[in-house]
Amino acid sequence: MGKIEWAMWANEQALAAGLILLTGGIVGVAGQFRGWEFASYAIAAGFFVCMLEYPRSKRAKGTSVERTGQYCFTVCVKAFGPVTRNYYVRAFLHAALCVPGGFMLATVLGCVCLGIASLIYLAAAVRGEHWEPILPRKDTRKPVAESIKSPPQNPPPRPPPEIRRKQAKDVEGAAYDNPIAVTDE
Amino acid sequence: MCGEEGGEEPLHGASRTERTPVSAAAPAPCLPAEPRLWRELGAAKVEVGAPEGTMAVSVRSWLANEAGKHFVLMLWLAANTWLFLDTYLLYSTGQQYHYLYQMLGLGLCISRASASVLNLNCSLVLLPMCRSLLTFIRGSHTMSTRRMRRLLDKSKSFHVTCGVAICIFSAVHVSAHLMNVVNFSASFSEDFPDLNLARYKGEVRHKHKVTKEKKNQGFFCFRFSSVPGLSGVLLVLILLLMFISSSHCIRVCNYEIFWYTHNLFIIFYIILMVHMVGGALKYQTNTEAHPPGCLSSQLAVLVLCLCAQTWLWVSGPLCLYCVERLFRYIRSSHPVTIVTVIRHPCDVVELRMLKKNFRARPGQYILLNCPGVSSFENHPFTLTACPTENKETFGIHLRIVGDWTEHFAHLLLPQPRAALEILPVVHQRRYPTLYVDGPFGSPSEEVFNYDVSLCIAGGIGVTPFACVLDALIERWKSFRLQRLYFVWVCRELQSFYWFAELLCALHEKLWKENRPDYLNVKLYVTQKDCQQPVESFSHG
């Protein structure tokens, strides 16, 4: 379990929790249940969490796959600098956001999921992870050297004749010796 | 054999995850690539050039290859639909549910119908995970036809389909029950007090003023004080955890998170069994004496709780799964003896092992568990050499990517010692204890069952085909296979050294036995800056 990136799981969990909170809030407001004010809060909180969690972070090791159309969200989240970069902030933010959802049945599931996501973010923060934006890579081409325009005047240097003769003979020197022989017997 | 440079992205077929390597075995009816081969396929009379002929071939080919799994999917959809509609009609028109239906309406029917669909899917979802059973079915000649084996290849997709269905119908079930709770309070019945779940009318919505004391025992408390309510919330929570961590990116990047959360299914099933105890929905048992609508209904309408049906559905597959796990545990309880460890270029280690009564077919894979590295992790590796009559050892090639394989290779291989040793000591090589679970079947076993096979492999994904080639060296005449096209794409040239000897030996043997066209090998390298000269593999 050494090199798990907890932040990735926390991100998925928080995004799902945001969606569930949003749905629960809509149901609560539409049904006009007791405590529907909490439901309207849940709609706003769910929407905010979805916006915050939509852009995936860049992985520390390996290829990062970004979500469809996440570039504009990345730019917005990146603009807040260290506040969104740090996972401790996210952990406490989610913990604070989830509490009012617990007072109404329609939103209690979203509250618990967001609480779990907040715990996983805390684990990620303790391990020293942080959020990195996935930005499109700019391929820097090396500036073309001047010498490409004029072909070389002299042939490349050749080794002396004795060594050239040895290279032609010694092809098996490069072969690999497998200690267990594969035979057809 | 030739080595060419290609410019495409390298294909990473890593054997260390559950993904199958990049491979394709083309069955005989599909159009072969080379015209001279068409004459050899005497059985399939292919009309050259006529469009109807080509169409008939592709329809026949689709029927042989793809129709089976679509048929099973349709069957499963039909079963779910029938169950949903049947239960819906039972609750909306059944005499014993008449008064309950009057109280609750649509919510009752939808919640019960989705519950029966959930029962079916919770039982079906376990069946594709009984891997030893599936391997047995795949291997037995009496039970498996080619169509059945192709269906078995799709067992994981079926598991995912059932899982998604469980999630969707859980959402439907929860919403319907929320509607029921509202309706229980809105249509609180004074006539039939036993049918009620709410404590008073209008408990859910504060349409009229209630006393402070009644308000405090709110909607919330009664939901959680009942067994179905609490267990339902826990079930949905566990299901959500399992579902969210099964997404593709988490499986690919952090397989352990997926594995450990998915093992919560045990708790899920236990809670599922007790979910219906103390049920909220009741029915009338004396419908003959008091049919619905009779006016003396206040007198004696007996009510009883709904009996839990879940255990009927789920217990069969759950027992089967438990037996299978027990069998696998017993089978893998003896550690294997490690015979040889060989280091190959490009971070590959070959491991040769010995185990009593170990039988395997080419293309199968095993699960390795090394307590010295991690007690709970099982990693799958395809066998590259199966035990035969002549040699009892079996082998795997594992590529060192990630922390488990790194640690494992560190335990296996002798480390270069910088310190001087005064006396040359003969080291008794102490290998770590290793447990092997398996072997399990995979689609790669089908290579031998066709006249012509095309095998395409990327990187370390060549391992099932290496086992196939190993089996061909021993007894190529005994298989149905008449020709094998083998395409292997690697990032670096050094990677081909993993099986260079095997390829050369097989090639030479086939030449000597006058079947030079049996094996066609094409090797590709994808690395852009290929500094080393392309050397031909000499076979003389």
Side-chain angles (χ1 to χ4, degrees):
Chain A
M1 302 257 284
K3 294 187 186 141
I4 298 181
E5 287 191 29
W6 296 93
M8 183 171 264
W9 182 26
N11 174 266
E12 297 274 327
Q13 183 82 23
L15 186 65
L19 286 169
I20 296 168
L21 208 55
L22 186 63
T23 318
I26 292 174
V27 164
V29 167
Q32 286 287 306
F33 292 119
R34 184 192 300 157
W36 64 272
E37 297 88 3
F38 290 114
S40 54
Y41 159 81
I43 295 178
F47 188 73
F48 170 70
V49 166
C50 285
M51 294 292 116
L52 177 64
E53 295 294 339
Y54 191 73
R56 250 190 214 136
S57 163
K58 195 166 173 185
R59 283 178 68 193
K61 209 169 70 160
T63 32
S64 325
V65 181
E66 53 175 35
R67 294 198 175 104
T68 346
Q70 84 165 33
Y71 180 63
C72 37
F73 295 97
T74 314
V75 167
C76 297
V77 172
K78 187 169 148 243
F80 285 93
V83 173
T84 44
R85 229 175 95 90
N86 193 323
Y87 283 147
Y88 279 110
V89 171
R90 278 204 201 195
F92 290 122
L93 178 70
H94 288 323
L97 281 176
C98 82
V99 167
F103 292 106
M104 199 195 157
L105 182 65
T107 53
V108 80
L109 198 63
C111 157
V112 176
C113 284
L114 199 55
I116 294 175
S118 144
L119 285 171
I120 308 173
Y121 262 130
L122 193 63
V126 162
R127 288 188 156 267
E129 298 174 28
H130 58 266
W131 187 83
E132 275 289 330
I134 302 178
L135 296 166
R137 238 179 10 170
K138 293 189 192 61
D139 285 319
T140 49
R141 288 182 176 274
K142 286 194 293 253
V144 174
E146 273 302 312
S147 61
I148 207 167
K149 303 222 173 80
S150 52
Q153 308 300 323
N154 301 317
R158 292 191 302 179
E162 311 86 48
I163 297 183
R164 260 183 279 144
R165 261 183 261 129
K166 266 197 209 156
Q167 271 180 348
K169 282 185 223 156
D170 197 15
V171 170
E172 281 98 22
Y176 177 74
D177 284 326
N178 198 338
I180 292 195
V182 176
T183 59
D184 56 348
E185 248 68 67
Chain B
M1 296 200 276
C2 57
E4 295 170 25
E5 260 187 54
E8 297 95 16
E9 273 284 284
L11 301 164
H12 290 292
S15 292
R16 71 174 287 273
T17 66
E18 288 280 5
R19 291 172 290 172
T20 50
V22 174
S23 67
C30 92
L31 292 174
E34 298 176 32
R36 64 186 163 87
L37 197 55
W38 291 11
R39 289 190 287 278
E40 296 181 44
L41 294 175
K45 303 242 186 310
V46 178
E47 299 285 327
V48 179
E52 304 85 61
T54 326
M55 176 80 157
V57 166
S58 48
V59 165
R60 271 203 338 252
S61 153
W62 185 87
L63 279 173
N65 298 327
E66 310 295 319
K69 66 176 192 251
H70 292 300
F71 176 70
V72 167
L73 189 65
M74 290 297 124
L75 207 63
W76 174 80
L77 274 173
N80 278 307
T81 316
W82 176 82
L83 204 58
F84 190 90
L85 288 173
D86 189 55
T87 321
Y88 187 95
L89 289 171
L90 173 69
Y91 279 86
S92 61
T93 57
Q95 284 201 329
Q96 66 271 47
Y97 301 111
H98 176 79
Y99 295 109
L100 197 62
Y101 181 62
Q102 272 190 331
M103 223 196 228
L104 296 176
L106 203 65
L108 169 71
C109 305
I110 292 187
S111 65
R112 297 307 309 153
S114 56
S116 28
V117 169
L118 277 175
N119 281 336
L120 174 69
N121 281 303
C122 283
S123 59
L124 285 178
V125 85
L126 284 173
L127 293 176
M129 290 296 117
C130 300
R131 270 186 256 174
S132 307
L133 184 63
L134 295 184
T135 308
F136 173 70
I137 294 175
R138 195 192 277 273
S140 79
H141 296 289
T142 43
M143 269 196 257
S144 75
T145 57
R146 184 184 286 180
R147 283 220 177 144
M148 173 69 99
R149 287 196 298 265
R150 276 197 81 90
L151 282 178
L152 291 176
D153 295 347
K154 291 283 163 196
S155 55
K156 198 181 102 173
S157 313
F158 185 67
H159 176 83
V160 170
T161 312
C162 288
V164 170
I166 289 176
C167 288
I168 293 174
F169 280 101
S170 297
V172 170
H173 185 76
V174 167
S175 332
H177 270 308
L178 282 177
M179 267 174 70
N180 284 345
V181 168
V182 170
N183 285 333
F184 260 130
S185 91
S187 24
F188 184 86
S189 165
E190 269 92 27
D191 297 327
F192 305 107
D194 290 333
L195 274 179
N196 288 311
L197 187 66
R199 273 182 285 249
Y200 56 90
K201 201 172 175 83
E203 184 172 8
V204 170
R205 300 183 193 183
H206 51 101
K207 286 282 165 63
H208 50 269
K209 290 221 186 300
V210 288
T211 61
K212 205 168 192 161
E213 171 202 83
K214 277 197 178 162
K215 204 176 187 177
N216 285 336
Q217 319 153 2
F219 172 73
F220 213 178
C221 304
F222 98 2
R223 197 76 184 119
F224 277 103
S225 60
S226 61
V227 171
L230 186 59
S231 59
V233 172
L234 280 174
L235 281 173
V236 174
L237 204 60
I238 294 177
L239 191 65
L240 267 174
L241 264 176
M242 280 168 60
F243 184 66
I244 292 169
S245 56
S246 321
S247 69
H248 177 77
C249 68
I250 291 195
R251 261 184 294 140
V252 164
C253 307
N254 300 310
Y255 193 80
E256 295 99 335
I257 294 176
F258 160 71
W259 176 245
Y260 290 123
T261 43
H262 230 68
N263 277 330
L264 291 172
F265 79 94
I266 305 164
I267 305 178
F268 181 87
Y269 275 97
I270 293 172
I271 300 182
L272 190 65
M273 300 286 217
V274 302
H275 181 54
M276 274 294 287
V277 170
L281 301 173
K282 306 179 180 80
Y283 69 94
Q284 179 191 356
T285 46
N286 56 351
T287 44
E288 294 89 35
H290 297 276
C294 80
L295 292 169
S296 57
S297 50
Q298 281 102 329
L299 291 176
V301 171
L302 286 175
V303 286
L304 273 180
C305 288
L306 277 177
C307 66
Q309 276 185 339
T310 312
W311 67 272
L312 275 171
W313 289 91
V314 164
S315 49
L318 200 57
C319 284
L320 189 66
Y321 185 74
C322 290
V323 164
E324 136 106 27
R325 287 307 296 255
L326 193 65
F327 169 71
R328 273 170 58 184
Y329 177 73
I330 294 174
R331 190 170 60 167
S332 66
S333 55
H334 294 292
V336 294
T337 330
I338 298 179
V339 174
T340 342
V341 175
I342 304 158
R343 191 203 292 265
H344 287 279
C346 299
D347 292 332
V348 163
V349 173
E350 182 182 347
L351 197 61
R352 285 290 177 119
M353 297 167 275
L354 196 58
K355 187 174 175 186
K356 226 173 77 163
N357 293 332
F358 185 83
R359 303 267 174 276
R361 296 186 295 270
Q364 291 185 322
Y365 68 96
I366 54 171
L367 288 174
L368 286 190
N369 178 306
C370 183
V373 177
S374 165
S375 328
F376 297 114
E377 288 182 32
N378 292 307
H379 288 255
F381 293 99
T382 316
L383 290 168
T384 48
C386 293
T388 58
E389 306 94 40
N390 304 330
K391 64 171 172 51
E392 281 180 27
T393 56
F394 59 96
I396 59 163
H397 277 65
L398 61 94
R399 184 154 163 254
I400 302 173
V401 175
D403 47 352
W404 191 89
T405 35
E406 249 181 70
H407 194 171
F408 187 51
H410 180 82
L411 289 177
L412 287 174
L413 294 166
Q415 298 308 310
R417 285 178 192 269
L420 291 171
E421 289 178 355
I422 301 168
L423 295 170
V425 179
V426 175
H427 283 286
Q428 190 70 11
R429 186 86 196 115
R430 298 288 308 259
Y431 291 124
T433 28
L434 191 62
Y435 296 98
V436 155
D437 189 8
F440 301 108
S442 83
S444 317
E445 290 179 57
E446 289 290 300
V447 174
F448 297 117
N449 297 335
Y450 296 94
D451 295 322
V452 178
S453 283
L454 169 64
C455 300
I456 306 175
I460 195 64
V462 75
T463 38
F465 307 129
C467 203
V468 163
L469 296 176
D470 199 51
L472 284 177
I473 275 192
E474 301 247 340
R475 45 192 181 106
W476 63 271
K477 286 188 191 143
S478 63
F479 297 119
R480 180 184 163 173
L481 188 65
Q482 299 300 311
R483 179 167 293 188
L484 179 62
Y485 290 92
F486 180 54
V487 177
W488 188 9
V489 185
C490 277
R491 188 191 269 166
E492 292 164 327
L493 196 64
Q494 309 290 324
S495 315
F496 295 123
Y497 285 130
W498 303 334
F499 297 108
E501 293 255 343
L502 178 61
L503 281 170
C504 295
L506 182 60
H507 191 265
E508 200 175 322
K509 174 171 177 163
L510 290 167
W511 267 81
K512 278 200 194 129
E513 304 200 4
N514 202 20
R515 279 296 297 269
D517 57 340
Y518 191 96
L519 178 66
N520 287 280
V521 181
K522 294 208 191 309
L523 306 175
Y524 295 89
V525 172
T526 56
Q527 197 173 50
K528 272 193 209 156
D529 312 314
C530 201
Q531 296 298 333
Q532 305 101 335
V534 175
E535 298 181 21
S536 60
F537 293 107
S538 62
H539 52 273

